[in-house]
Amino acid sequence: SFYIIIIFLLLTKLLAKNNNDIPCQWKSLTGDEYNLQKLIIPSNGKDYFIIDGDIPCTPEEEPSYSYMWNICSVVNNASLPHVCWPNKVGSVVQYLIREANDVDSAYQECNVVGRYDELNDDTHYKLIDNSDPTIGISMTYKSGDKCPKN
């Protein structure tokens, strides 16, 4: 009975919402603290960007999707490509703009693949390696659009 009360108190402390929670900052259970606020792109800045490519281990050639993201915020309106504006707002946006050519017709697609929730952001973080917190953390954006089935 005593052990159950102790476990309940520990779980309550772990699961209780911290009223002093600061968005884009996280303290791991090991006590290590991480502050990602300096990685947030301001509203007048250009968001993070990458283009993926074909997966070499498959026989078909996959299209190259582009990704834009902002840490702990939404992709800035000025950065959003025309295919996403104005309805696709999120922290991570995936898009494809394919011009027509001799083989393929023109095609456009935009998906929000992740949204940041500052009220529940502590659930987004985890240590990459629990035995070595200096390696860093991973951050998972949740609540994105479902990818279309092609």
Side-chain angles (χ1 to χ4, degrees):
S1 171
F2 175 73
Y3 292 112
I4 293 173
I5 292 171
I6 295 294
I7 291 172
F8 176 75
L9 290 173
L10 287 173
L11 284 174
T12 302
K13 183 172 177 144
L14 287 173
L15 297 174
K17 181 66 179 158
N18 181 353
N19 291 334
N20 296 324
D21 185 37
I22 300 170
C24 214
Q25 292 186 24
W26 182 62
K27 185 175 183 177
S28 72
L29 295 177
T30 60
D32 298 288
E33 296 184 21
Y34 301 86
N35 184 343
L36 305 179
Q37 291 179 329
K38 290 185 178 182
L39 297 174
I40 298 171
I41 303 294
S43 60
N44 62 349
K46 192 162 174 108
D47 293 291
Y48 299 102
F49 174 79
I50 191 169
I51 298 175
D52 75 353
D54 183 43
I55 302 170
C57 63
T58 60
E60 64 277 347
E61 185 176 336
E62 293 84 14
S64 294
Y65 282 90
S66 298
Y67 295 85
M68 298 192 90
W69 72 95
N70 198 348
I71 305 293
C72 303
S73 188
V74 297
V75 172
N76 297 308
N77 290 341
S79 295
L80 279 175
H82 70 278
V83 68
C84 298
W85 179 255
N87 297 323
K88 297 293 184 171
V89 178
S91 300
V92 185
V93 175
Q94 170 204 52
Y95 65 95
L96 173 67
I97 301 172
R98 184 175 62 212
E99 305 295 331
N101 60 32
D102 293 339
V103 179
D104 297 315
S105 58
Y107 178 78
Q108 297 182 351
E109 172 185 335
C110 182
N111 299 291
V112 175
V113 293
R115 291 181 175 87
Y116 176 70
D117 179 0
E118 69 180 37
L119 299 177
N120 294 302
D121 71 338
D122 286 353
T123 65
H124 296 240
Y125 305 107
K126 71 176 186 177
L127 291 172
I128 293 172
D129 183 340
N130 289 329
S131 65
D132 187 358
T134 63
I135 292 176
I137 61 173
S138 69
M139 181 178 191
T140 303
Y141 288 104
K142 302 176 181 191
S143 305
D145 299 340
K146 290 191 176 198
C147 292
K149 293 181 181 178
N150 293 344

